[in-house]
Amino acid sequence: MDDLDENPERPVTLEMGEHLRTWRLFVSLLKWNVAALALLLLGLLLFRT
């Protein structure tokens, strides 16, 4: 038995625009997280005892 015969629908694929939007969101969130981490580490460095 072939699985393709049971499910004749094409697989769902994302459009290129959706891929780009997801990638931009990921990069943006990554930048903000890196900036926040840098500020946290800088604060810890300044206020170490």
Side-chain angles (χ1 to χ4, degrees):
M1 293 185 130
D2 191 12
D3 290 336
L4 295 176
D5 292 338
E6 295 175 8
N7 190 6
E9 296 178 13
R10 293 176 36 197
V12 177
T13 59
L14 294 175
E15 294 179 7
M16 192 61 185
E18 188 139 357
H19 280 291
L20 290 174
R21 186 174 52 208
T22 303
W23 175 252
R24 288 184 189 124
L25 178 63
F26 170 74
V27 171
S28 174
L29 290 174
L30 186 64
K31 286 180 188 177
W32 280 106
N33 281 324
V34 168
L37 182 61
L39 286 174
L40 176 65
L41 291 175
L42 182 63
L44 289 173
L45 180 66
L46 290 174
F47 297 112
R48 67 182 177 169
T49 55

PDB file of all heavy atoms in Angstrom, residues 31-47:
ATOM      1  N   LYS A  31      18.369  39.917  18.457  1.00  0.00           N
ATOM      2  CA  LYS A  31      19.093  41.169  18.731  1.00  0.00           C
ATOM      3  C   LYS A  31      18.706  41.750  20.084  1.00  0.00           C
ATOM      4  O   LYS A  31      19.561  42.174  20.850  1.00  0.00           O
ATOM      5  CB  LYS A  31      18.805  42.196  17.636  1.00  0.00           C
ATOM      6  CG  LYS A  31      19.486  41.933  16.337  1.00  0.00           C
ATOM      7  CD  LYS A  31      19.105  43.033  15.341  1.00  0.00           C
ATOM      8  CE  LYS A  31      19.589  42.739  13.958  1.00  0.00           C
ATOM      9  NZ  LYS A  31      19.166  43.762  12.984  1.00  0.00           N
ATOM     10  N   TRP A  32      17.407  41.795  20.364  1.00  0.00           N
ATOM     11  CA  TRP A  32      16.948  42.347  21.635  1.00  0.00           C
ATOM     12  C   TRP A  32      17.436  41.509  22.809  1.00  0.00           C
ATOM     13  O   TRP A  32      17.799  42.056  23.864  1.00  0.00           O
ATOM     14  CB  TRP A  32      15.430  42.463  21.657  1.00  0.00           C
ATOM     15  CG  TRP A  32      14.937  43.673  20.927  1.00  0.00           C
ATOM     16  CD1 TRP A  32      14.339  43.693  19.707  1.00  0.00           C
ATOM     17  CD2 TRP A  32      15.019  45.029  21.356  1.00  0.00           C
ATOM     18  NE1 TRP A  32      14.047  44.983  19.355  1.00  0.00           N
ATOM     19  CE2 TRP A  32      14.444  45.830  20.342  1.00  0.00           C
ATOM     20  CE3 TRP A  32      15.522  45.644  22.501  1.00  0.00           C
ATOM     21  CZ2 TRP A  32      14.363  47.222  20.456  1.00  0.00           C
ATOM     22  CZ3 TRP A  32      15.433  47.036  22.597  1.00  0.00           C
ATOM     23  CH2 TRP A  32      14.869  47.798  21.595  1.00  0.00           C
ATOM     24  N   ASN A  33      17.437  40.198  22.659  1.00  0.00           N
ATOM     25  CA  ASN A  33      17.910  39.338  23.740  1.00  0.00           C
ATOM     26  C   ASN A  33      19.400  39.511  23.982  1.00  0.00           C
ATOM     27  O   ASN A  33      19.853  39.529  25.132  1.00  0.00           O
ATOM     28  CB  ASN A  33      17.591  37.874  23.444  1.00  0.00           C
ATOM     29  CG  ASN A  33      16.154  37.536  23.743  1.00  0.00           C
ATOM     30  OD1 ASN A  33      15.576  38.043  24.690  1.00  0.00           O
ATOM     31  ND2 ASN A  33      15.565  36.692  22.922  1.00  0.00           N
ATOM     32  N   VAL A  34      20.177  39.646  22.915  1.00  0.00           N
ATOM     33  CA  VAL A  34      21.617  39.856  23.065  1.00  0.00           C
ATOM     34  C   VAL A  34      21.880  41.208  23.722  1.00  0.00           C
ATOM     35  O   VAL A  34      22.737  41.327  24.609  1.00  0.00           O
ATOM     36  CB  VAL A  34      22.337  39.739  21.702  1.00  0.00           C
ATOM     37  CG1 VAL A  34      23.763  40.228  21.774  1.00  0.00           C
ATOM     38  CG2 VAL A  34      22.295  38.299  21.224  1.00  0.00           C
ATOM     39  N   ALA A  35      21.148  42.242  23.324  1.00  0.00           N
ATOM     40  CA  ALA A  35      21.317  43.566  23.920  1.00  0.00           C
ATOM     41  C   ALA A  35      20.955  43.542  25.407  1.00  0.00           C
ATOM     42  O   ALA A  35      21.671  44.108  26.237  1.00  0.00           O
ATOM     43  CB  ALA A  35      20.458  44.585  23.183  1.00  0.00           C
ATOM     44  N   ALA A  36      19.867  42.878  25.758  1.00  0.00           N
ATOM     45  CA  ALA A  36      19.461  42.790  27.164  1.00  0.00           C
ATOM     46  C   ALA A  36      20.492  42.013  27.979  1.00  0.00           C
ATOM     47  O   ALA A  36      20.814  42.396  29.112  1.00  0.00           O
ATOM     48  CB  ALA A  36      18.088  42.123  27.268  1.00  0.00           C
ATOM     49  N   LEU A  37      21.020  40.960  27.420  1.00  0.00           N
ATOM     50  CA  LEU A  37      22.041  40.185  28.108  1.00  0.00           C
ATOM     51  C   LEU A  37      23.303  41.009  28.312  1.00  0.00           C
ATOM     52  O   LEU A  37      23.916  40.974  29.382  1.00  0.00           O
ATOM     53  CB  LEU A  37      22.358  38.911  27.320  1.00  0.00           C
ATOM     54  CG  LEU A  37      23.390  37.971  27.936  1.00  0.00           C
ATOM     55  CD1 LEU A  37      22.923  37.476  29.299  1.00  0.00           C
ATOM     56  CD2 LEU A  37      23.667  36.811  27.004  1.00  0.00           C
ATOM     57  N   ALA A  38      23.690  41.783  27.298  1.00  0.00           N
ATOM     58  CA  ALA A  38      24.868  42.644  27.421  1.00  0.00           C
ATOM     59  C   ALA A  38      24.659  43.686  28.518  1.00  0.00           C
ATOM     60  O   ALA A  38      25.574  43.943  29.321  1.00  0.00           O
ATOM     61  CB  ALA A  38      25.161  43.317  26.084  1.00  0.00           C
ATOM     62  N   LEU A  39      23.468  44.286  28.582  1.00  0.00           N
ATOM     63  CA  LEU A  39      23.185  45.260  29.637  1.00  0.00           C
ATOM     64  C   LEU A  39      23.198  44.615  31.019  1.00  0.00           C
ATOM     65  O   LEU A  39      23.708  45.199  31.982  1.00  0.00           O
ATOM     66  CB  LEU A  39      21.835  45.931  29.385  1.00  0.00           C
ATOM     67  CG  LEU A  39      21.803  46.947  28.253  1.00  0.00           C
ATOM     68  CD1 LEU A  39      20.371  47.429  28.024  1.00  0.00           C
ATOM     69  CD2 LEU A  39      22.719  48.116  28.556  1.00  0.00           C
ATOM     70  N   LEU A  40      22.659  43.437  31.122  1.00  0.00           N
ATOM     71  CA  LEU A  40      22.664  42.713  32.391  1.00  0.00           C
ATOM     72  C   LEU A  40      24.091  42.411  32.833  1.00  0.00           C
ATOM     73  O   LEU A  40      24.453  42.651  33.998  1.00  0.00           O
ATOM     74  CB  LEU A  40      21.864  41.416  32.264  1.00  0.00           C
ATOM     75  CG  LEU A  40      21.860  40.510  33.500  1.00  0.00           C
ATOM     76  CD1 LEU A  40      21.167  41.197  34.660  1.00  0.00           C
ATOM     77  CD2 LEU A  40      21.221  39.186  33.171  1.00  0.00           C
ATOM     78  N   LEU A  41      24.903  41.921  31.924  1.00  0.00           N
ATOM     79  CA  LEU A  41      26.290  41.618  32.271  1.00  0.00           C
ATOM     80  C   LEU A  41      27.073  42.884  32.606  1.00  0.00           C
ATOM     81  O   LEU A  41      27.908  42.872  33.519  1.00  0.00           O
ATOM     82  CB  LEU A  41      26.958  40.849  31.133  1.00  0.00           C
ATOM     83  CG  LEU A  41      26.443  39.429  30.917  1.00  0.00           C
ATOM     84  CD1 LEU A  41      27.098  38.821  29.686  1.00  0.00           C
ATOM     85  CD2 LEU A  41      26.676  38.568  32.136  1.00  0.00           C
ATOM     86  N   LEU A  42      26.815  43.970  31.909  1.00  0.00           N
ATOM     87  CA  LEU A  42      27.461  45.235  32.210  1.00  0.00           C
ATOM     88  C   LEU A  42      27.057  45.725  33.590  1.00  0.00           C
ATOM     89  O   LEU A  42      27.897  46.185  34.367  1.00  0.00           O
ATOM     90  CB  LEU A  42      27.094  46.276  31.151  1.00  0.00           C
ATOM     91  CG  LEU A  42      27.743  47.643  31.309  1.00  0.00           C
ATOM     92  CD1 LEU A  42      29.260  47.535  31.186  1.00  0.00           C
ATOM     93  CD2 LEU A  42      27.188  48.608  30.282  1.00  0.00           C
ATOM     94  N   GLY A  43      25.781  45.626  33.907  1.00  0.00           N
ATOM     95  CA  GLY A  43      25.312  45.998  35.248  1.00  0.00           C
ATOM     96  C   GLY A  43      25.947  45.142  36.328  1.00  0.00           C
ATOM     97  O   GLY A  43      26.350  45.651  37.386  1.00  0.00           O
ATOM     98  N   LEU A  44      26.047  43.858  36.095  1.00  0.00           N
ATOM     99  CA  LEU A  44      26.681  42.983  37.078  1.00  0.00           C
ATOM    100  C   LEU A  44      28.162  43.310  37.240  1.00  0.00           C
ATOM    101  O   LEU A  44      28.698  43.259  38.338  1.00  0.00           O
ATOM    102  CB  LEU A  44      26.499  41.522  36.675  1.00  0.00           C
ATOM    103  CG  LEU A  44      25.093  40.958  36.797  1.00  0.00           C
ATOM    104  CD1 LEU A  44      25.042  39.547  36.200  1.00  0.00           C
ATOM    105  CD2 LEU A  44      24.641  40.945  38.245  1.00  0.00           C
ATOM    106  N   LEU A  45      28.812  43.675  36.145  1.00  0.00           N
ATOM    107  CA  LEU A  45      30.219  44.047  36.207  1.00  0.00           C
ATOM    108  C   LEU A  45      30.413  45.343  36.988  1.00  0.00           C
ATOM    109  O   LEU A  45      31.352  45.451  37.789  1.00  0.00           O
ATOM    110  CB  LEU A  45      30.776  44.200  34.789  1.00  0.00           C
ATOM    111  CG  LEU A  45      32.238  44.591  34.672  1.00  0.00           C
ATOM    112  CD1 LEU A  45      33.128  43.472  35.215  1.00  0.00           C
ATOM    113  CD2 LEU A  45      32.591  44.912  33.238  1.00  0.00           C
ATOM    114  N   LEU A  46      29.531  46.317  36.763  1.00  0.00           N
ATOM    115  CA  LEU A  46      29.656  47.604  37.446  1.00  0.00           C
ATOM    116  C   LEU A  46      29.373  47.505  38.943  1.00  0.00           C
ATOM    117  O   LEU A  46      29.994  48.212  39.744  1.00  0.00           O
ATOM    118  CB  LEU A  46      28.715  48.627  36.808  1.00  0.00           C
ATOM    119  CG  LEU A  46      29.086  49.098  35.406  1.00  0.00           C
ATOM    120  CD1 LEU A  46      27.983  49.987  34.842  1.00  0.00           C
ATOM    121  CD2 LEU A  46      30.404  49.831  35.417  1.00  0.00           C
ATOM    122  N   PHE A  47      28.441  46.661  39.332  1.00  0.00           N
ATOM    123  CA  PHE A  47      28.007  46.604  40.727  1.00  0.00           C
ATOM    124  C   PHE A  47      28.523  45.379  41.469  1.00  0.00           C
ATOM    125  O   PHE A  47      27.954  44.982  42.479  1.00  0.00           O
ATOM    126  CB  PHE A  47      26.480  46.652  40.807  1.00  0.00           C
ATOM    127  CG  PHE A  47      25.901  47.931  40.278  1.00  0.00           C
ATOM    128  CD1 PHE A  47      25.158  47.930  39.115  1.00  0.00           C
ATOM    129  CD2 PHE A  47      26.121  49.129  40.915  1.00  0.00           C
ATOM    130  CE1 PHE A  47      24.626  49.099  38.597  1.00  0.00           C
ATOM    131  CE2 PHE A  47      25.609  50.308  40.412  1.00  0.00           C
ATOM    132  CZ  PHE A  47      24.860  50.296  39.260  1.00  0.00           C
TER     133      PHE A  47
END
